[in-house]
């Protein structure tokens, strides 16, 4: 599975747009990019998944350049409740999982201030 | 639709003891995966069960074992507990074992003294 690199922590303010970038230089042709969100003492929650270009849902957008060696999770107009750890995962199935399980790094600790 | 549930929420054991953690998968899901999350780390894959059979395993010793029942609920058993087994144990269910999105439960916090 491709290794991912993302910032350890980020700070922002309520109402701002937050962009978290993940590097995955060794991404394979069949790999998808998936982002999870985790609050303290809770299980991770699926946010968004993409293969190339741009994906948008009601929660976030995911931008993937043509070379797919990085991706950016964009959270529009964040609130205090968006304070959480965000994980970028890359894997060779629809959700980077399957029989090998999901491979999580340490994630990005996003702190939103008033 | 009922989400993934886990029991107990918290547990304290002593070194050398055995523990059983339980997970009920989301309605309609036949695959359950277990993860261990140490403090400050991302979840680490333990193993996955698909239709009552172990379908994949991470880098965990044999004293970590599991079961999946006909209703697709699952157990994680850990024998000969060690201090380093203290962690949040997460269960995730998915529609199939082949890369479907995994939905996580709230976890069981295990403390080994």
């Amino acid at each position: 599975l491709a290794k991912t690199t993302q910032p350890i922590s980020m700070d922002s303010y309520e109402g701002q747009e937050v962009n978290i970038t993940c590097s995955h230089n060794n991404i394979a042709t069949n790999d998808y990019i998936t982002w999870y969100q985790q609050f303290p003492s809770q299980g991770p929650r699926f946010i968004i998944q993409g293969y190339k270009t741009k994906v948008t849902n009601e929660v976030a957008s995911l931008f993937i350049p043509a070379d797919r060696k990085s991706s950016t999770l964009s959270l529009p107009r964040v609130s205090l409740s968006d304070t959480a750890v965000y994980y970028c995962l890359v894997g060779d199935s629809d959700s980077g999982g399957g029989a090998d399980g999901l491979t999580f790094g340490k994630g990005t600790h996003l702190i939103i201030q008033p | 639709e009922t989400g993934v549930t886990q029991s107990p929420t918290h547990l304290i054991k002593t070194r050398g003891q055995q523990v059983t953690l339980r997970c009920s998968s989301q309605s309609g899901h036949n695959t359950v995966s277990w993860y261990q999350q140490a403090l400050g780390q991302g979840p680490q894959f333990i193993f996955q069960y698909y239709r009552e059979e172990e379908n994949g395993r991470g880098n965990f010793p044999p004293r970590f074992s599991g079961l999946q029942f006909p209703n697709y609920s699952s157990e994680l058993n850990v024998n000969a507990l060690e201090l380093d087994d203290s962690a949040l144990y997460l269960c995730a269910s998915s529609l199939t074992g082949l890369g479907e999105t995994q939905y996580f439960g709230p976890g069981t916090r295990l403390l080994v003294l």
Side-chain angles (χ1 to χ4, degrees):
Chain A
L1 295 173
K3 181 180 177 180
T4 60
T5 303
Q6 51 184 125
I8 294 174
S9 64
M10 293 181 66
D11 293 326
S12 189
Y13 295 91
E14 282 191 295
Q16 298 296 305
E17 178 185 81
V18 171
N19 297 309
I20 306 174
T21 297
C22 178
S23 297
H24 27 80
N25 291 320
N26 297 322
I27 190 169
T29 303
N30 294 332
D31 286 347
Y32 281 74
I33 301 155
T34 309
W35 286 80
Y36 278 79
Q37 174 194 55
Q38 187 177 26
F39 298 111
S41 297
Q42 293 188 26
R45 182 176 75 103
F46 172 87
I47 301 176
I48 198 167
Q49 182 181 80
Y51 183 81
K52 62 180 180 181
T53 62
K54 176 184 175 182
V55 179
T56 298
N57 61 22
E58 65 278 6
V59 176
S61 294
L62 180 60
F63 298 92
I64 305 168
D67 66 6
R68 305 204 322 125
K69 293 184 182 299
S70 67
S71 59
T72 299
L73 174 71
S74 180
L75 304 173
R77 297 179 300 282
V78 294
S79 63
L80 295 177
S81 63
D82 291 316
T83 295
V85 179
Y86 292 82
Y87 295 98
C88 165
L89 289 77
V90 174
D92 60 355
S93 58
D94 286 351
S95 62
D100 291 332
L102 297 173
T103 300
F104 289 84
K106 292 188 177 182
T108 297
H109 293 245
L110 175 64
I111 299 172
I112 306 301
Q113 301 181 42
Chain B
E1 184 177 88
T2 305
V4 178
T5 60
Q6 294 185 242
S7 63
T9 55
H10 297 83
L11 200 54
I12 300 175
K13 291 286 188 177
T14 56
R15 194 170 48 183
Q17 285 189 311
Q18 178 266 343
V19 68
T20 297
L21 310 181
R22 295 177 176 82
C23 169
S24 291
S25 60
Q26 187 166 314
S27 178
H29 289 183
N30 59 24
T31 302
V32 171
S33 302
W34 285 92
Y35 293 80
Q36 178 196 67
Q37 185 172 25
L39 203 59
Q41 305 294 318
Q44 300 299 306
F45 175 65
I46 302 175
F47 45 56
Q48 181 183 89
Y49 278 83
Y50 172 64
R51 293 187 174 180
E52 303 179 58
E53 297 287 333
E54 187 176 294
N55 189 40
R57 191 179 183 93
N59 188 28
F60 280 81
R63 60 190 185 84
F64 286 79
S65 63
L67 282 174
Q68 187 178 32
F69 301 99
N71 66 355
Y72 302 131
S73 65
S74 176
E75 286 183 355
L76 165 66
N77 299 292
V78 187
N79 293 321
L81 283 167
E82 302 177 358
L83 298 180
D84 286 347
D85 295 334
S86 294
L88 180 68
Y89 287 85
L90 296 161
C91 165
S93 76
S94 54
L95 196 56
T96 71
L98 300 177
E100 294 285 339
T101 299
Q102 297 191 15
Y103 296 88
F104 285 81
T108 294
R109 175 73 64 186
L110 172 65
L111 177 61
V112 182
L113 301 176

